[in-house]
Amino acid sequence: MKLSVEFPSVAYREGPGAVARMARAIEQIGYDHIDVFDHVVMGYPIAGRAAGPYTPTMPILEALMTLSHLAAVTSRVTLGTEVLVLPQRHPTLVAKQVSTLDTLSGGRVRLGVGVGWQESEYEALGEDFRTRGARMDEAIRLLRAYWSDARVDFDGPHYPVTAIAMEPKPPQGRRLPIWIGGMSEPAWRRVGSLGDGWLASRVEDAAGARRALDAIRRHAEAAGRDPATIGLQSMVAPPPRDAEGKRFYAEHDRVVARVAELEKLGFGWAALNATAVFQAGARSVDAMIDALGTLHGKIRAAVG
């Protein structure tokens, strides 16, 4: 079982040195991967705009900039996004940013992408919310072209490219993994047909997991792909929305039991949410590091 940590932006409150210290500690504890959460802006609820799942003033460091900082202070742990809202950005720029990150990190990048849910964020960035699914599919194909082709010619309706070069290529080239998030039939189709893995955030029971995994398998086979080559990661628990949710990471036996359950369901990766660890009572970088260290030891003892 591979273990990932979703990095806590809240660490910035103790300064950039604390952000670096948190990343180094996650690596030294023995975690396999660090993911960074993504939102550029958050909309306040107003007339015609419902409240979202997060408070609009929640601190969120920009994902790719944060990963570049973490890459500079780590050497083994792999680095990714969970998830980058890809259709909010032009894929040519994303291709360059991720290629550079992979180059400077020594080939340690896994890009996690999703279509997002927040229409106001798309509006703030000048992108069309209604076409995000079609643009997502096209953008994934274009990223791989930039990472592998010496000359890029891409005949897409949203992102046409003619006779363009992008260098240097990332060390992983076209094999740089693109994992896809989402809990819907379109997301599962995208995972099965285009993705290197699925990033699940809301697997709440075995029946829901089986439905999703069956759909991914069906779409992979329809695309002529081997479903066994598609990686599977789940958050250990959804982001907390109430007092009960915030207690979860303080009760280590529940966390360990959940990781073991995910392994039985077929997930090869489990992700611990360090921001939720903070919300559960570990209110400093040192406290989060201590909690993550204890959890890592208990999980490894239980599931290997």
PDB file of all heavy atoms in Angstrom, residues 53 72 125 137 144 158 160 172 182 192 199 220 239 282:
ATOM      1  N   PRO A  53     -18.519  23.930  -0.489  1.00  0.00           N
ATOM      2  CA  PRO A  53     -18.159  23.053   0.630  1.00  0.00           C
ATOM      3  C   PRO A  53     -17.074  23.620   1.536  1.00  0.00           C
ATOM      4  O   PRO A  53     -16.848  23.099   2.628  1.00  0.00           O
ATOM      5  CB  PRO A  53     -17.680  21.780  -0.075  1.00  0.00           C
ATOM      6  CG  PRO A  53     -17.223  22.236  -1.420  1.00  0.00           C
ATOM      7  CD  PRO A  53     -18.114  23.378  -1.789  1.00  0.00           C
ATOM      8  N   ALA A  72      12.310  21.330  -4.218  1.00  0.00           N
ATOM      9  CA  ALA A  72      13.661  21.813  -3.917  1.00  0.00           C
ATOM     10  C   ALA A  72      14.181  21.324  -2.575  1.00  0.00           C
ATOM     11  O   ALA A  72      15.399  21.347  -2.345  1.00  0.00           O
ATOM     12  CB  ALA A  72      13.680  23.339  -3.957  1.00  0.00           C
ATOM     13  N   LEU A 125     -11.426  33.397 -13.860  1.00  0.00           N
ATOM     14  CA  LEU A 125     -10.273  33.090 -14.694  1.00  0.00           C
ATOM     15  C   LEU A 125     -10.571  33.233 -16.188  1.00  0.00           C
ATOM     16  O   LEU A 125      -9.703  32.955 -17.026  1.00  0.00           O
ATOM     17  CB  LEU A 125      -9.774  31.675 -14.395  1.00  0.00           C
ATOM     18  CG  LEU A 125      -9.152  31.510 -13.005  1.00  0.00           C
ATOM     19  CD1 LEU A 125      -9.028  30.039 -12.627  1.00  0.00           C
ATOM     20  CD2 LEU A 125      -7.798  32.190 -12.941  1.00  0.00           C
ATOM     21  N   ASP A 137     -10.794  16.542 -21.807  1.00  0.00           N
ATOM     22  CA  ASP A 137     -10.343  15.413 -22.622  1.00  0.00           C
ATOM     23  C   ASP A 137      -9.295  15.857 -23.638  1.00  0.00           C
ATOM     24  O   ASP A 137      -8.272  15.193 -23.839  1.00  0.00           O
ATOM     25  CB  ASP A 137     -11.527  14.792 -23.359  1.00  0.00           C
ATOM     26  CG  ASP A 137     -12.516  14.094 -22.429  1.00  0.00           C
ATOM     27  OD1 ASP A 137     -12.199  13.941 -21.234  1.00  0.00           O
ATOM     28  OD2 ASP A 137     -13.598  13.702 -22.902  1.00  0.00           O
ATOM     29  N   ARG A 144       0.180  15.342 -23.394  1.00  0.00           N
ATOM     30  CA  ARG A 144       1.044  14.210 -23.764  1.00  0.00           C
ATOM     31  C   ARG A 144       1.777  14.472 -25.078  1.00  0.00           C
ATOM     32  O   ARG A 144       2.920  14.043 -25.251  1.00  0.00           O
ATOM     33  CB  ARG A 144       0.214  12.935 -23.826  1.00  0.00           C
ATOM     34  CG  ARG A 144      -0.212  12.457 -22.438  1.00  0.00           C
ATOM     35  CD  ARG A 144      -1.007  11.193 -22.474  1.00  0.00           C
ATOM     36  NE  ARG A 144      -1.228  10.662 -21.119  1.00  0.00           N
ATOM     37  CZ  ARG A 144      -2.366  10.153 -20.699  1.00  0.00           C
ATOM     38  NH1 ARG A 144      -3.417  10.087 -21.516  1.00  0.00           N
ATOM     39  NH2 ARG A 144      -2.478   9.695 -19.461  1.00  0.00           N
ATOM     40  N   HIS A 158     -10.760  23.116 -29.389  1.00  0.00           N
ATOM     41  CA  HIS A 158     -10.561  24.126 -28.353  1.00  0.00           C
ATOM     42  C   HIS A 158      -9.118  24.620 -28.283  1.00  0.00           C
ATOM     43  O   HIS A 158      -8.881  25.793 -27.970  1.00  0.00           O
ATOM     44  CB  HIS A 158     -10.978  23.566 -26.988  1.00  0.00           C
ATOM     45  CG  HIS A 158     -12.410  23.146 -26.925  1.00  0.00           C
ATOM     46  ND1 HIS A 158     -13.444  24.044 -26.859  1.00  0.00           N
ATOM     47  CD2 HIS A 158     -12.980  21.907 -26.933  1.00  0.00           C
ATOM     48  CE1 HIS A 158     -14.601  23.391 -26.813  1.00  0.00           C
ATOM     49  NE2 HIS A 158     -14.342  22.101 -26.859  1.00  0.00           N
ATOM     50  N   PRO A 160      -6.222  24.230 -30.796  1.00  0.00           N
ATOM     51  CA  PRO A 160      -5.449  23.865 -31.993  1.00  0.00           C
ATOM     52  C   PRO A 160      -4.018  24.386 -31.901  1.00  0.00           C
ATOM     53  O   PRO A 160      -3.777  25.502 -31.404  1.00  0.00           O
ATOM     54  CB  PRO A 160      -6.218  24.533 -33.122  1.00  0.00           C
ATOM     55  CG  PRO A 160      -6.925  25.688 -32.475  1.00  0.00           C
ATOM     56  CD  PRO A 160      -7.267  25.235 -31.087  1.00  0.00           C
ATOM     57  N   GLN A 172      10.184  12.029 -17.613  1.00  0.00           N
ATOM     58  CA  GLN A 172       9.260  10.913 -17.800  1.00  0.00           C
ATOM     59  C   GLN A 172       8.615  10.907 -19.183  1.00  0.00           C
ATOM     60  O   GLN A 172       7.966   9.922 -19.558  1.00  0.00           O
ATOM     61  CB  GLN A 172       8.163  10.948 -16.736  1.00  0.00           C
ATOM     62  CG  GLN A 172       8.682  10.794 -15.316  1.00  0.00           C
ATOM     63  CD  GLN A 172       7.560  10.790 -14.305  1.00  0.00           C
ATOM     64  OE1 GLN A 172       6.956   9.743 -14.029  1.00  0.00           O
ATOM     65  NE2 GLN A 172       7.256  11.949 -13.755  1.00  0.00           N
ATOM     66  N   GLY A 182     -12.668  12.511  -9.616  1.00  0.00           N
ATOM     67  CA  GLY A 182     -14.091  12.656  -9.900  1.00  0.00           C
ATOM     68  C   GLY A 182     -14.883  11.445  -9.472  1.00  0.00           C
ATOM     69  O   GLY A 182     -14.364  10.328  -9.425  1.00  0.00           O
ATOM     70  N   GLY A 192     -10.921   5.573 -17.399  1.00  0.00           N
ATOM     71  CA  GLY A 192     -10.758   4.340 -18.147  1.00  0.00           C
ATOM     72  C   GLY A 192     -10.173   4.534 -19.525  1.00  0.00           C
ATOM     73  O   GLY A 192      -9.366   3.706 -19.988  1.00  0.00           O
ATOM     74  N   LEU A 199      -8.141   9.194  -8.837  1.00  0.00           N
ATOM     75  CA  LEU A 199      -8.027   9.830  -7.530  1.00  0.00           C
ATOM     76  C   LEU A 199      -9.432   9.977  -6.954  1.00  0.00           C
ATOM     77  O   LEU A 199     -10.192  10.869  -7.361  1.00  0.00           O
ATOM     78  CB  LEU A 199      -7.348  11.198  -7.667  1.00  0.00           C
ATOM     79  CG  LEU A 199      -5.891  11.161  -8.151  1.00  0.00           C
ATOM     80  CD1 LEU A 199      -5.421  12.557  -8.527  1.00  0.00           C
ATOM     81  CD2 LEU A 199      -4.988  10.551  -7.099  1.00  0.00           C
ATOM     82  N   ALA A 220     -12.202   1.212 -19.712  1.00  0.00           N
ATOM     83  CA  ALA A 220     -10.844   0.861 -20.131  1.00  0.00           C
ATOM     84  C   ALA A 220     -10.875  -0.228 -21.205  1.00  0.00           C
ATOM     85  O   ALA A 220     -10.184  -0.137 -22.235  1.00  0.00           O
ATOM     86  CB  ALA A 220     -10.017   0.411 -18.933  1.00  0.00           C
ATOM     87  N   PRO A 239     -13.060  15.393   2.925  1.00  0.00           N
ATOM     88  CA  PRO A 239     -12.787  16.583   3.749  1.00  0.00           C
ATOM     89  C   PRO A 239     -13.900  16.777   4.780  1.00  0.00           C
ATOM     90  O   PRO A 239     -15.078  16.653   4.460  1.00  0.00           O
ATOM     91  CB  PRO A 239     -12.774  17.714   2.722  1.00  0.00           C
ATOM     92  CG  PRO A 239     -12.407  17.048   1.440  1.00  0.00           C
ATOM     93  CD  PRO A 239     -13.031  15.694   1.488  1.00  0.00           C
ATOM     94  N   ALA A 282      -4.318  18.934  15.689  1.00  0.00           N
ATOM     95  CA  ALA A 282      -2.870  19.128  15.540  1.00  0.00           C
ATOM     96  C   ALA A 282      -2.650  20.526  14.964  1.00  0.00           C
ATOM     97  O   ALA A 282      -2.493  20.709  13.757  1.00  0.00           O
ATOM     98  CB  ALA A 282      -2.291  18.056  14.635  1.00  0.00           C
TER      99      ALA A 282
END
